[in-house]
């Protein structure tokens, strides 16, 4: 990682499902390489045996008891916001498996 | 070089809860499109998941049933991938720290014939974790439409080790697994409703070697027969490739029922890079050990344990246990009947033959297995029926008639016998008189019997039974006829 | 009463209680002020004066009926465009959500409604709260009312600028890495970020879930305390929300608690990169506390220089996943060029998101991707715990920590637009607080020679809001900078 880091931006953009022009990609690429270089600072600290911190506090066992049914949305709420819909279903271009 | 197959299965089981995994929206199969959603299910901006504790308990119970270790702590991860059926474009799942670890399932392989019990073995599990179901896509001619009703339904994913070597083993595993899950009340496992789905990983290796070959993954196997066919197809396909000196490509394939063959999935070609990371919206779950002990105590006896016990304690043959033990309700019915009358063999016979036949005829679908609770007969009906036969109050023959009557009306057998006057006749004078008539009326049968043809006697019994409407005590009739012919 | 719009909540509440004024009059004053100055400030993305006046009318009717809901009843409060208000646009200053209207209220909004607040308008921000200058809004660039050539800070720049310009009596923002405190400092108002979990995140469009918190902007510390009290909740819809601990009558307590306190000053925060005028100003503030009998303790937060890289890894990783739901399927922008599942996603997202959002999604996707997770994300999570450890150690010795809020005063528009790294460094004093989940407040502490506001940050212990408010209040009341208004 202390080698000059470089993002394979085509691969990452595809993973992230972001369409970008070549110009956008090249500008972003060099900016991100700078930022990644800055991230190298992290290697200066010893984290051996440190527990990763995924949450800001240590609370556990938060859940909903009783399996009780709540309110549902009428399909019109979804169809009212969906870019395309038919017969209460959301329509998208044909998905090929 | 001969090859052997190595098969691992991933089974998604929809856990039977009223509400979804991370929201209070209800889930049931077959509802009108997009009527079972809320802001969380649709992944609207600003929504957050909240764990349904019922799903955790049911999954822990499933794990205990399948011999898993229940983790001290389980956590939630995001599996990131884009697909139109996924409202958040990540799936909440348990990657790093699943709820259930390890486990093993006893399976029963098919015997040489239907009436003979096959070998048993254990299949090792890797883990069981919880995750959320996506919505449902329907592909039309030019478009795809999406129903989000199913989105967020709780799924337990059961992952086996690559521990099976044939389609037969895989099928036996799935059947035994399904029985256990249904037994424990975790899911109805109706494959047609998508409650029990299977993916199969298949690889080949030269016989006698240990290293696993490159595997392919078969998706969307939505019936047991598809699982069988897809695995067999894949073993044949891979064998062909290897025999020609080719190599297997690691890929996901979809089974096509129409053509009975499988094809690589285009959308899955891209390397899997799911970018798992701990979900920041959900906190870890610490499993309460005392609660786990309670859940363990609630577990039903596994079907194959029950089968062994019935064979050993009640001396029931495999032909009966194989019918009874796949159905927990039937077994409970059977054991309750034994409380009234200790005649396991006869009671088991009535349940697995007469009762199931009538249930099957009565139910439209022809699938009777789960309808025991809905029929009018109670265990005490059957026990009483067997009891009055054993006590000689009615004959077995009359017993059949009484059974059919009580199945329809729900009346107790003794009441039916009383009402219809079906009690067995032990009136020796009447039966003797009728026998005399029968012997006089059928000299041919008498002669045949005298020549040693015992069956000829039946021709003489018939008229007597007819005259007594079947109520003549069969043993008495038999004795009298023989005695009268011999003597006379 | 021409300057109603510059009064504090406590002043207005007293006037309302005394019957000297109505909520309709206050609301009308704010509406008029907005109409007069927002063409210059550009703080509001949209507003609905009719709706605000009808809420105000309802408040006045409650008061007349003797059913006032407390000091916030009838006070017009502006809302950042990232918080869901039922039936109002929720665009997060993004083209992606151009036509999106929320079908539900965020929990904090519902709580404010219960306190009788008049919900007033949608405030500009950096798109999806990503930025430190509000230049990343897809709709408009908000100007700092103290100098219209400069930025108001960000991401809650609209909330801060509206406050400073008198376009609302208070506003609500969100703070992921300083997005309330930094614009508050740059606009010369009070801005506060609570302990992580004290205010529900339900209805806050997630940027980085483990860092995001809702908080108030106000003219005075006491006003901010009142708003905090109203928004506190252990929300069943947010699994990360927690019940408050200790003193929660913040507004009452801040007048009773008079110290003297032990205050920590981290040497690391006064080193390189800090503007000399800011440095001198904050040193003077520290001297003031010393003169009041507070003990000033030199403390060390040795990992604070790592806070920026840790933050930009954790926050972008979470954001890359949180923003995956904006896909053009169920709501939001869908590209006309969407031809299949892939272009549906790539084109819709490519067109819908602005540069900074794309930059962060790419960065976040990268740090989670196969082969890089351990080096970036996992390591950042571990360093994050080290940063928390630094604070925990410091708080063994001190009641609160004093720092500058921002290393520089407001900078000129466009100055850092092409240098994201420089922009990221403007959050250097605020982000470690989010990483550690602590409460912090920024209060006006004076002006630069050119008349730009400077902010003092008071960082409290977890759940130490009461002390933090009292410490900030003491300085505010003795200096009175809150009485200074920009000339517009």
């Amino acid at each position: 990682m202390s080698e000059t880091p470089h993002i394979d931006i085509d691969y990452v953009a595809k993973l992230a499902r972001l369409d970008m022009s070549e110009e956008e990609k090249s500008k972003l690429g060099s900016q991100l390489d700078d930022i990644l270089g800055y991230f190298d600072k992290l290697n200066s600290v010893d984290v051996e045996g440190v527990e990763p911190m995924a949450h800001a506090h240590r609370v556990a066992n938060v859940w909903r008891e009783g399996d009780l049914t709540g309110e549902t949305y009428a399909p019109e709420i979804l169809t009212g916001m969906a870019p395309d819909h038919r017969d209460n279903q959301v329509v998208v271009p044909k998905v090929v498996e | 070089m001969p090859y052997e197959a190595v098969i691992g299965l991933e089974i998604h089981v929809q856990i039977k809860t009223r509400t979804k995994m991370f929201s209070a929206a209800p889930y049931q199969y077959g509802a009108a499109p997009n009527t079972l959603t809320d802001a969380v299910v649709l992944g609207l901006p600003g929504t957050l998941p909240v764990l349904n504790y019922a799903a955790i308990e049911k999954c822990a119970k499933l794990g205990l049933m399948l011999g898993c270790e229940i983790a001290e702590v389980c956590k939630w991860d995001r599996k990131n991938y884009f697909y139109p059926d996924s409202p958040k474009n990540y799936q909440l799942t348990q990657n790093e720290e699943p709820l259930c670890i390890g486990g093993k399932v006893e399976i029963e392989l098919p015997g040489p014939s239907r009436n003979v019990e096959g070998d048993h073995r254990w299949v090792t599990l890797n883990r069981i974790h919880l995750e959320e179901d996506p919505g449902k896509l329907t592909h039309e001619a030019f478009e795809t439409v999406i129903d989000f009703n199913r989105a967020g339904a709780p799924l337990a994913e059961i992952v086996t080790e690559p521990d099976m070597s044939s389609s037969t083993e895989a099928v036996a595993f799935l059947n035994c697994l399904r029985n256990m899950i249904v037994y424990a009340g975790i899911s109805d496992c109706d494959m047609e409703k998508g409650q029990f789905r299977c993916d199969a990983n298949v690889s080949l290796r030269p016989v006698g070697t240990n290293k696993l070959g490159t595997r392919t993954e078969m998706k969307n196997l939505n019936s047991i027969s598809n699982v069988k066919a897809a695995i067999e197809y894949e073993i044949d396909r891979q064998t062909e490739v290897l025999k020609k000196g080719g190599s297997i490509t690691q890929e996901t394939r979809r089974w096509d029922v129409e053509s009975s063959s499988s094809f690589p999935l285009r959308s899955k070609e891209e390397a899997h890079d799911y970018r798992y990371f701990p979900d920041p919206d959900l906190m870890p779950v610490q499993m309460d050990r005392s609660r786990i002990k309670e859940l363990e105590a609630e577990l039903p006896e596994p079907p194959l344990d029950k089968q062994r016990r019935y064979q050993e304690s009640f001396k029931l043959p495999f032909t009966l246990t194989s019918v009874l033990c796949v159905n927990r309700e039937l077994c409970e019915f059977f054991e309750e009947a034994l409380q009234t009358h200790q005649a396991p063999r006869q009671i088991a016979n009535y349940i697995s033959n007469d009762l199931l036949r009538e249930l099957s005829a009565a139910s439209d679908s022809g699938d009777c297995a789960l309808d025991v609770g809905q029929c009018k007969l109670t265990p005490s009906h059957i026990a009483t029926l067997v009891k009055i036969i054993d006590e000689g109050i009615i004959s077995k023959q009359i017993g059949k008639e009484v059974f059919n009557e009580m199945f329809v009306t729900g009346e107790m057998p003794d009441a039916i016998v009383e009402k219809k006057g079906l009690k067995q006749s032990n009136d020796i004078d009447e039966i003797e008189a009728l026998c005399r008539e029968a012997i006089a009326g059928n000299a041919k049968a008498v002669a045949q019997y005298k020549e040693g043809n015992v069956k000829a006697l039946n021709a003489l019994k018939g008229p007597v039974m007819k005259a007594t409407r079947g109520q003549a005590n069969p043993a008495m009739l038999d004795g009298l006829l023989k005695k009268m012919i011999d003597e006379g | 009463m021409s300057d109603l719009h510059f009064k504090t909540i406590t002043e207005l509440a007293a006037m309302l209680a005394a019957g000297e004024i109505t909520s309709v009059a206050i609301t009308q004053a704010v509406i008029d002020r907005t109409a007069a100055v927002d063409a210059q400030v550009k703080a509001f993305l949209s507003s609905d004066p009719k709706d605000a006046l009808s809420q105000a009318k309802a408040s006045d009717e409650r008061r007349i009926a003797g059913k006032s809901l407390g000091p916030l009843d009838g006070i017009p409060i502006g809302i950042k465009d990232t918080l869901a208000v039922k039936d109002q646009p929720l665009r997060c200053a993004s083209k992606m959500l151009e036509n999106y209207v929320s079908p539900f209220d965020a929990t904090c909004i519902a709580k404010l409604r219960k306190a009788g607040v008049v919900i007033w308008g949608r405030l500009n921000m950096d798109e999806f709260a990503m930025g430190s200058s509000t230049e990343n809004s897809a709709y408009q660039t908000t100007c700092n009312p103290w100098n219209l050539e400069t930025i108001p800070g960000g991401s809650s720049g609209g909330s801060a600028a509206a406050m400073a310009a008198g376009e609302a009596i208070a506003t609500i923002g969100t703070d992921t890495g300083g997005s309330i405190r930094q614009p508050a400092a740059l606009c010369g108002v009070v801005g506060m970020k609570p302990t992580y979990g004290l205010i529900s995140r339900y209805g806050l469009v997630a940027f980085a879930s483990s860092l995001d918190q809702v908080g108030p902007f106000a003219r005075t510390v006491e006003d901010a305390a009142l708003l905090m009290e109203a928004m506190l909740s252990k929300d069943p819809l947010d699994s990360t929300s927690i019940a408050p601990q200790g003193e929660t009558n913040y507004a009452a307590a801040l007048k009773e608690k008079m110290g003297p306190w032990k205050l920590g000053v981290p040497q690391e925060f006064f080193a390189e990169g800090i503007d000399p005028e800011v440095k001198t100003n904050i040193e003077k503030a520290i001297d003031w506390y010393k003169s009041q009998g507070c003990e000033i303790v030199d403390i060390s937060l040795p990992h604070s220089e790592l806070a920026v890289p840790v933050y930009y890894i954790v926050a972008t990783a979470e954001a890359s996943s949180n923003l995956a739901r904006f896909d053009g399927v169920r709501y939001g922008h869908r590209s006309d060029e969407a031809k299949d599942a892939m272009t549906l996603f790539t084109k819709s997202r490519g067109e819908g998101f602005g540069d900074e959002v794309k930059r962060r999604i790419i960065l976040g996707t990268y740090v989670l991707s196969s082969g890089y997770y351990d080096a970036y994300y996992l390591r950042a999570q571990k360093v994050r715990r080290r940063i928390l450890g630094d604070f925990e150690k410091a708080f063994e010795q001190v009641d609160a920590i004093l720092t500058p809020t921002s290393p520089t005063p407001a900078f000129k528009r466009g100055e850092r637009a092409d240098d994201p790294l420089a922009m990221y460094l403007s959050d250097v004093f605020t982000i470690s607080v989010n990483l550690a989940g602590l409460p912090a407040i920024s209060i006006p502490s004076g002006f630069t020679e050119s008349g730009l506001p400077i902010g003092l940050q008071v960082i409290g212990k977890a759940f130490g809001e009461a002390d933090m408010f009292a410490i900030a209040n003491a300085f505010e009341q003795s200096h009175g900078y809150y009485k200074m208004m920009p000339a517009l």
Side-chain angles (χ1 to χ4, degrees), chain A residues 11 61 64 67 70 86 88, chain B residues 19 34 51 140 143 273 286:
Chain A
Y11 173 76
N61 298 349
R64 176 170 54 87
D67 197 16
R86 190 193 321 128
N88 286 340
Chain B
T19 65
N34 291 308
L51 175 62
E140 300 184 343
E143 289 162 330
D273 192 343
Q286 291 159 343

Side-chain angles (χ1 to χ4, degrees), chain C residues 89-124:
Chain C
L90 175 61
R91 298 188 288 186
C92 300
S94 179
K95 267 183 73 180
M96 181 56 90
L97 290 176
E98 192 156 14
N99 298 311
Y100 184 75
V101 172
S102 178
F104 65 89
D105 268 341
T107 300
C108 66
I109 298 296
K111 297 280 293 177
L112 288 173
R113 285 193 202 277
K114 275 196 181 138
V117 158
V118 172
I119 303 295
W120 164 234
R122 308 293 302 164
L123 291 163
N124 196 24

Side-chain angles (χ1 to χ4, degrees), chain A residues 54-70:
Chain A
H55 295 93
H57 54 59
R58 289 181 188 272
V59 173
N61 298 349
V62 186
W63 53 56
R64 176 170 54 87
E65 296 265 8
D67 197 16
L68 301 175
T69 305

